[in-house]
Each structure stands twice: as C-alpha cells, then as structure tokens.
Amino acid sequence: MLSIFILIGAYRYYAQLAERFGKTKWQYGVLAIGIYLGTQLLLGFAYGMYLGITDPESAENVNYTGFSAVNIVGWLISIVAVWRIYKFLENKFIKERPAKTIEIEEIGKSLDQ
C-alpha cells in the first residue's frame, strides 16, 4: 500500500518538473514510475538471490506483504534513486533553457534595422 502512495507522489513530482520546463507531463510521470518499479525489482531480485545462495530453505518462507527491514530499505533506496534522477533531469533542463535576456543596447538596434 505504501508503494502506491510513493508511486503517486513520484508521478506528480516528475509531472510538475515536466510542466515547469514545457515537456510532456505523462511521459515523465511514467518515467518516475518505471524508475521506482525498476529499482524495486532489481533490489528484490538481488535480495532473493542472496537468500537463495545463503539459505536455500528460506526462499520457501518469504513474506511478500508486511513491513520488514528489507522492505523499508528497499523503499528508501528506490525513493533516493527517483530523487537523484529527478535532480539530474532538472539540471539538464536548466542547462538546455535558452537565455532570454535582452541587453538594453540591443533593444534600439533591432528597431532601427
């Protein structure tokens, strides 16, 4: 249930970023969902491999629902991954933004020509 709230928040966070820079909102929202779910799958797969290698019998008794330390750490790592890529995209969009400053001397020149 907590993952659903995290996904909704990530979607809105990225959609606001896209709106601020004139990009397509839903595409960046879906990107946020993909980053979060991809990170969760990668961490889950790595933890499953770890359990399978260290204690093969523990793979039979996995609780997929509930709060455990592994789930909380997975959520935190996924949130950090979503945030880091958000900051990367924000910096990229800021650098791509054209400078729209007009110098005072240039105002008269464009009218005279």
Side-chain angles (χ1 to χ4, degrees), residues 8 16 35-36 43 64-66 93 101-102 105 109-110:
I8 291 169
Q16 289 172 357
I35 293 167
Y36 177 79
L43 292 170
Y64 294 106
T65 60
F93 293 158
T101 58
I102 300 174
E105 295 84 24
K109 289 181 183 178
S110 63

Side-chain angles (χ1 to χ4, degrees), residues 29-78:
V30 171
L31 175 66
I33 291 172
I35 293 167
Y36 177 79
L37 292 177
T39 307
Q40 284 287 306
L41 286 173
L42 183 68
L43 292 170
F45 182 73
Y47 182 66
M49 291 295 291
Y50 170 75
L51 281 181
I53 291 171
T54 57
D55 186 17
E57 294 178 9
S58 67
E60 299 292 328
N61 301 324
V62 175
N63 181 12
Y64 294 106
T65 60
F67 291 94
S68 67
V70 174
N71 288 345
I72 294 170
V73 169
W75 290 328
L76 292 175
I77 291 172
S78 296

Side-chain angles (χ1 to χ4, degrees), residues 79-99:
I79 289 170
V80 168
V82 168
W83 179 76
R84 295 284 293 171
I85 294 175
Y86 174 88
K87 287 309 231 182
F88 170 77
L89 288 173
E90 184 179 38
N91 291 335
K92 179 182 168 196
F93 293 158
I94 288 171
K95 288 179 184 176
E96 288 177 353
R97 184 186 303 173

